Amino acid sequence: MIELFRERFGSAEGLRVFRAPGRTNLIGEHTDYNMGFVLPVALDLATFVAAAPNADGKLRIYSEQRNELLEWDLAAVAGLKPAHQWTDYPIGVAHELVAAGIPLQPANLMIRSTVPEGSGLSSSAALEVSSALAFLAGRPLDPLELARLCQRAERNYVGMPCGIMDQYISVFGRQHSAVEIDCRSLGHRYVTLPAGITFVAVNTMVKHELAGSAYKDRVQECAAAVAGVRQKFPDAQSLRDVTPAQFATVAPALPELIARRGRHVVTEIARVGQFVEASSRGDLSAMGALMVQSHRSLQHDYEVSCAELDFLVDTALKLEGVFGSRMTGGGFGGCTVTMLRPDAVPAFKDAIAAAYHKQFAVIPAIYPCNPSEGAAEVKDLS
Ligand code: GLA
């Protein structure tokens, strides 16, 4: 990266490199903005931002992937408006840093990423968090504040009303562990997964147009479900505050669609706890069954799956050594995550790729989901 940086900007003096990972979520989908629980792992796939100060008062950002270089006067950055392209992520972060009273310094940035874009593996959060660290250039910021600041960038500047999961796991990921996040208290605990299993993400290679607008619709539908719940449970602030049994008592009075949306969220929040508990007992088949229940709930009640995701899940469940499979991330394309025996992985990959290709004439990319460390400066630049 250093050579390319020097070639691009003329100098690499003072260069530092920051890494922030993508993620897969094992269970707890569309629960974060309902103040519930999620259980993601940070991946080896990550975004790297190399940054060095410059002496000409500019902010320059070069994307290696796009071979595109953008340049602004630093003083103009705070006044920029969303451009509806990749630069909105780092510029949104710059805006939030300024809003938090952290001044920007003139700098040259170069971005390299191994997180496939639009794949539901959280390339956006990886870009936000790595950019934030590059802008900070070693200035300290509390890790939780870092995650929240990046979430605000996405909500306020990019215009996506996302929850905290993606930015949080990119900051707090840990090698060999999943991270159970309480999206209300914003606390977490590390969950050591049992031996004898591994997780693999399979990419549908599609991203349906619906994703952004449907996400906003779901956020509103959940708000409608909370309003309904309050008729009987006036203290409820979010769907987190009712159990599936309590929700079932109010569901008949709700519009049918709102009842299904709410049912997904309350049962999914419960499934996260059950999954962590099954994991601590080493009950692999219970873990797998919960993943499948999660997928069916997302497919039928929350309606954020699609034909490609359903095909990958249904195919995975027929293959040797598979315990469970589900869509991961926001949905409408992107990836599934499958829990399986490590020795079954090679045959699984071959079989699922062949079946998917036969059905959709596309070869799916497949990624191992080895839990990795959260965002940090890369010290070894060799
Ligand atoms: C996207 C959002 C997250 C979360 C997931 C669904 O990845 O960015 O906050 O809501 O969808 O679980």
Side-chain angles (χ1 to χ4, degrees):
M1 239 179 148
I2 305 178
E3 265 324 297
L4 189 60
F5 192 95
R6 192 174 290 120
E7 213 175 277
R8 186 55 50 190
F9 296 114
S11 158
E13 206 173 311
L15 181 91
R16 300 171 78 160
V17 179
F18 302 89
R19 167 191 178 276
R23 59 105 187 91
T24 45
N25 186 19
L26 303 185
I27 197 157
E29 217 65 84
H30 290 275
T31 52
D32 60 351
Y33 53 86
N34 289 295
M35 304 295 114
F37 292 89
V38 293
L39 188 71
V41 297
L43 298 177
D44 291 332
L45 303 170
T47 299
F48 297 84
V49 179
N54 67 45
D56 55 9
K58 304 278 187 193
L59 173 63
R60 294 190 187 84
I61 310 183
Y62 173 65
S63 158
E64 187 183 28
Q65 231 160 323
R66 294 183 174 73
N67 190 23
E68 202 180 332
L69 174 65
L70 284 107
E71 174 181 314
W72 303 269
D73 285 331
L74 193 69
V77 169
L80 291 174
K81 297 273 174 277
H84 309 290
Q85 57 159 353
W86 65 274
T87 48
D88 285 354
Y89 298 101
I91 298 299
V93 166
H95 277 206
E96 292 300 334
L97 284 166
V98 171
I102 303 168
L104 299 175
Q105 310 291 337
N108 299 329
L109 269 55
M110 179 176 128
I111 300 168
R112 167 177 292 180
S113 188
T114 59
V115 190
E117 257 176 57
S119 59
L121 300 181
S122 198
S123 59
S124 318
L127 178 53
E128 289 153 6
V129 174
S130 53
S131 302
L133 291 177
F135 287 132
L136 286 163
R139 279 171 292 175
L141 182 65
D142 172 67
L144 180 56
E145 192 40 45
L146 170 64
R148 297 180 70 170
L149 186 145
C150 291
Q151 181 199 19
R152 289 201 297 276
E154 184 142 354
R155 294 176 70 101
N156 297 340
Y157 199 75
V158 179
M160 166 79 175
C162 64
I164 188 75
M165 169 169 70
D166 302 349
Q167 293 80 9
Y168 195 110
I169 184 66
S170 190
V171 172
F172 287 95
R174 164 147 325 167
Q175 228 184 350
H176 308 306
S177 287
V179 184
E180 184 186 19
I181 305 166
D182 178 337
C183 299
R184 169 172 280 161
S185 73
L186 298 181
H188 65 265
R189 60 177 170 147
Y190 293 111
V191 174
T192 306
L193 298 162
I197 53 161
T198 192
F199 293 87
V200 166
V202 183
N203 194 345
T204 59
M205 316 302 278
V206 298
K207 182 91 194 162
H208 292 289
E209 280 305 311
L210 226 57
S213 63
Y215 192 94
K216 293 179 187 162
D217 291 346
R218 296 300 177 278
V219 172
Q220 283 174 4
E221 288 158 2
C222 288
V226 176
V229 163
R230 274 215 202 102
Q231 302 293 317
K232 187 158 178 193
F233 301 99
D235 293 339
Q237 300 294 316
S238 71
L239 290 171
R240 159 78 177 270
D241 295 319
V242 281
T243 63
Q246 287 172 325
F247 187 77
T249 67
V250 297
L254 300 177
E256 190 267 344
L257 180 122
I258 300 299
R260 277 193 289 125
R261 301 297 192 249
R263 183 168 61 185
H264 164 70
V265 174
V266 297
T267 58
E268 183 76 358
I269 292 172
R271 277 188 288 272
V272 177
Q274 291 160 10
F275 187 90
V276 170
E277 209 255 323
S279 168
S280 70
R281 296 196 309 268
D283 188 342
L284 307 183
S285 55
M287 291 167 74
L290 286 159
M291 290 178 75
V292 178
Q293 285 168 28
S294 165
H295 185 76
R296 298 303 173 214
S297 178
L298 289 155
Q299 180 181 2
H300 302 299
D301 276 353
Y302 218 60
E303 295 180 284
V304 291
S305 187
C306 61
E308 294 89 345
L309 287 166
D310 295 340
F311 180 86
L312 285 177
V313 167
D314 293 337
T315 305
L317 294 178
K318 290 180 206 143
L319 297 175
E320 171 67 24
V322 170
F323 294 98
S325 185
R326 56 183 291 278
M327 55 158 273
T328 186
F332 299 104
C335 289
T336 59
V337 58
T338 297
M339 174 177 145
L340 72 173
R341 282 201 327 262
D343 63 287
V345 171
F348 170 83
K349 281 176 155 179
D350 290 347
I352 203 140
Y356 193 75
H357 183 259
K358 187 161 174 235
Q359 183 78 6
F360 295 107
V362 173
I363 297 175
I366 301 179
Y367 321 96
C369 301
N370 304 318
S372 85
E373 284 296 307
E377 181 167 5
V378 180
K379 293 289 187 194
D380 179 7
L381 295 184
S382 56

